Structure formats: structure tokens, C-alpha cells
Amino acid sequence: MADRERILKIRDLSISFQTDAGQVNAIRGVDLDLYKGETIAIVGESGSGKSVTTKAIMGILANNGKIESGSIEYVWHDENTGERQERDIVKLSEREMQKEIRGRKIAMVFQDPMTSLNPTMTIGKQVMEPMIYHYGKSKEEAYQKAVELLQEVGITDAEKRMKNYPHQLSGGMRQRVVIAIALSCDPYVLICDEPTTALDVTIQAQILDLMKDLQNRIDTSIIFITHDLGVVAGMADRVAVMYAGKIVEYGTVDEIFFNPQHPYTWGLLNSMPTLDTESGSLSAIPGTPPDLLEPPVGDAFAARSDYAMKIDTEKEPPFFKVSDTHYAATWLLHPDAPKVTPPAEIVRRQQKFAAMQKPQAPISNPVAKE
């Protein structure tokens, strides 16, 4: 990626939810950057905070959710003057989010298309609606663009499908429609929250191929949320690994897949089958994520890690630099830490990484104080 223009900058984002049991500290000081034209994947187990982070970007947290601290700065160029604009999404009102950002600058594709589509409206009306609302297009203009969008996302007989209702389409076609709606206002950022989870493997592959093809054509930036590392390999440029409301490691897709440094990332990769995996050699991460009603002291993953040291239960690890593009928050990277041998599968990956290593373009460190 020659163009390293940053369009989204998240700093020290903390989010809590009030429940009957007390305050859940769901997101705890997240820093993240998104650059123009790239795909960044956020991965982790269910409950790690992936979806909550992206819902905060969209301004659609549940009523009991609250942003405790931090900023979400969105940068774009004015459509008329070309001047650089910057807004902190956290400070915007619901009206401003609805009019200026949501759907227009940043759009989202959810996991289940049936919860995104209105069962009482035709597909055509739902694709046309954002264009009419945000850009004041006439029905004729919106109709023509809607047909083109449906064709772009691979729906045949697009004009005929414009008259269909969601229940008349297959799951894969419905997800294509949801993608068409998200792209209807040419957003700069597309957030995809596990968009293929509800689909079978064949349709999943088609949707992923579609999204890669669309990104190459329209140069949008994508935040891809998934718990499936296998999906990430062919989609992402960079990967952020989340655990217990924090990012614990991030780097290029090759660095995360072939030179992971955090024991949690080792566990995720070790539980993923590959062509080289021996029969019966997959292993699950023991235990369960911590209760964020009372977040643990130190490294939140320590209780589940075979590599935990005393300091992991006493002090939270900072980010250690592995390369210009790769950082991990684990005390194992401290110069005084004992040398440990990762699981055999991780060692194999690291050996492969050493063989394929090539120079990477440096990017800014989102953890560094600016």
C-alpha cells in the first residue's frame, strides 16, 4: 500500500455497560488506526470486544452502553472543497451521526442479513433509500444506481430482484443486498461484522471474493470482524488480536499468522486446522475469558496461559516492538524474560516466516503517544 493516509484514529477507547450485576468494562483502552484502501481484521473469541468497538465507531451502542473515555477521529476530504476534515465521532450528536457519518461516510454489514433488511420493503426501495436520504437523488437516479449496485455485487436479473422482498431471496443473495445497501453512498469505511458466519462455506467464499473485488475497484477501507482466523488470511492487510476488551497484538497478516508473539495468538492459531495439521493434533485454549465486571490485574490472559509468569498476575504488560509494523503486549518480549518454546505448530509457522521474510513499509505506532 503506497498510500498511507490515515482515515480513522482510535485512541484510549473505553466502553462500559450497566447491567443488573454491575458495570461491565467491555472495552479497556483500545488504540487502533485504519489507513486508506486497506483491510484491517479484528479477531478474537466471542466477548473479546470486537463488535462493541465497531458499534462505537457507528454510534450504535446499546442504551446501557457508555463511552467512558477516548476518541474516534474520522478524517476525510470535503466533497466540494477537497479540504481535509476531521471529526471526533465520540462528540457527535445522534442527529449529526445520522446525517453526516452513518451510512454516508462509514457503513456497516452485519452478521445476519435478515436483521438488517426490512421484511415489509422491496429490495429496490431499501437500496435506494440511503441515496435519496443522504444525497437527495431523484427516484429515477437512485433506481438506476441501485440496479447497478445489485449487478456489481453479483445479483443476476437485478431489475427483477428490485421488486422482490427479502424472504424471496437466499441467504447469500440477502447478504449481497446488504453489501449493496452499505455501498450505496460510496462510504470511505466499510465495517463488516462477521458477514459470512450465517452462510455455508461455498457462499462464504463467494462473499469474501466479492468484498475483495469491490475493495480493489472502489478503494474503500474495510474493518473486518471475525472469530475465524482462516477467513482473515485471504482478506486482511493487517490484523489486530483482541482479548478481554483490549488489543493484545497487531501486525501485518503475515506477521500475525507466521510470527505471532502473544500466547493468546498462539492459542488461536494452534486451534485452527491447516493442511499441515496432523490428525488429532488440534488443541483448544483452556478455560474461559475473564469476567469484565471485575477485570483481572495484569495480563488478562494469564489465567489461561501455560506461559504465564508471576509478573503477568501483577502488572499489565506494555506493547513491545517486534518490528516497525508488529507489536505485542506480553511480558515474554521483555529483555529479562526467560526464553520459552511456543507450541510446535507456532514454531513451524515462525520457521516458515523466517524463510519468507521480506522488508515491510513502516507505519506509525498507534500505541505511541502523539
Side-chain angles (χ1 to χ4, degrees), residues 37-341:
E38 79 164 347
T39 295
I40 185 166
I42 305 179
V43 303
E45 294 168 291
S46 296
S48 60
K50 309 181 300 296
S51 294
V52 173
T53 300
T54 52
K55 284 178 179 177
I57 297 171
M58 291 292 291
I60 55 172
L61 287 174
N63 290 335
N64 63 337
K66 178 185 177 185
I67 295 178
E68 298 285 353
S69 65
S71 60
I72 305 172
E73 294 180 3
Y74 171 66
V75 181
W76 77 98
H77 291 87
D78 186 271
E79 292 149 4
N80 299 316
T81 66
E83 292 182 0
R84 187 175 182 272
Q85 305 286 330
E86 188 171 306
R87 303 293 298 274
D88 184 354
I89 287 173
V90 171
K91 297 178 181 177
L92 297 184
S93 66
E94 170 59 22
R95 188 178 182 330
E96 289 172 317
M97 281 297 299
Q98 195 168 351
K99 193 70 178 173
E100 298 177 28
I101 304 294
R102 192 184 303 133
R104 181 170 182 164
K105 298 288 193 300
I106 306 175
M108 195 164 187
V109 176
F110 293 94
Q111 182 178 137
D112 183 2
M114 280 306 281
T115 61
S116 304
L117 297 172
N118 186 332
T120 67
M121 287 177 62
T122 63
I123 294 302
K125 282 186 178 179
Q126 295 187 63
V127 181
M128 292 163 59
E129 190 175 50
M131 294 181 271
I132 294 170
Y133 174 78
H134 285 295
Y135 291 112
K137 287 184 178 291
S138 67
K139 287 186 177 180
E140 291 75 18
E141 288 176 307
Y143 180 90
Q144 189 55 47
K145 173 120 186 239
V147 171
E148 292 171 5
L149 280 168
L150 291 179
Q151 290 170 338
E152 270 193 35
V153 298
I155 291 181
T156 55
D157 296 326
E159 288 207 58
K160 176 184 175 184
R161 295 300 183 187
M162 290 278 285
K163 301 180 180 68
N164 287 158
Y165 288 86
H167 72 272
Q168 295 176 290
L169 305 182
S170 67
M173 289 181 73
R174 285 195 292 263
Q175 194 62 293
R176 290 173 188 269
V177 170
V178 171
I179 294 170
I181 293 171
L183 295 175
S184 62
C185 290
D186 302 315
Y188 293 93
V189 178
L190 183 63
I191 299 172
C192 301
D193 189 357
E194 307 224 27
T196 60
T197 299
L199 306 174
D200 66 53
V201 176
T202 304
I203 303 301
Q204 180 183 91
Q206 292 175 6
I207 296 296
L208 293 174
D209 287 342
L210 166 66
M211 294 179 69
K212 284 190 290 184
D213 179 56
L214 287 171
Q215 185 183 32
N216 290 334
R217 281 192 276 141
I218 64 179
D219 197 30
T220 192
S221 301
I222 295 176
I223 300 176
F224 197 94
I225 309 299
T226 183
H227 64 274
D228 184 352
L229 275 166
V231 168
V232 170
M235 273 293 298
D237 300 299
R238 290 191 298 130
V239 180
V241 182
M242 280 196 84
Y243 183 75
K246 284 180 169 289
I247 291 176
V248 297
E249 184 167 7
Y250 66 91
T252 66
V253 68
D254 282 347
E255 287 168 335
I256 297 300
F257 266 81
F258 296 107
N259 192 32
Q261 299 296 316
H262 198 286
Y264 178 59
T265 313
W266 295 350
L268 291 177
L269 289 166
N270 213 30
S271 61
M272 184 181 78
T274 69
L275 292 176
D276 299 312
T277 300
E278 295 179 12
S279 177
S281 65
L282 285 181
S283 61
I285 301 174
T288 57
D291 184 352
L292 294 182
L293 280 166
E294 295 182 15
V297 177
D299 186 338
F301 188 61
R304 304 175 69 188
S305 175
D306 293 333
Y307 304 89
M309 300 175 287
K310 185 181 179 187
I311 193 173
D312 284 305
T313 62
E314 301 172 340
K315 190 175 180 182
E316 185 179 319
F319 273 96
F320 291 92
K321 180 178 178 180
V322 183
S323 75
D324 287 339
T325 54
H326 188 186
Y327 292 77
T330 171
W331 287 116
L332 290 176
L333 291 176
H334 190 281
D336 296 333
K339 300 303 177 189
V340 301
T341 302

Side-chain angles (χ1 to χ4, degrees), residues 23-45:
Q23 179 174 297
V24 176
N25 302 289
I27 302 298
R28 305 181 297 135
V30 163
D31 295 318
L32 191 68
D33 287 332
L34 179 68
Y35 292 87
K36 183 178 179 182
E38 79 164 347
T39 295
I40 185 166
I42 305 179
V43 303
E45 294 168 291

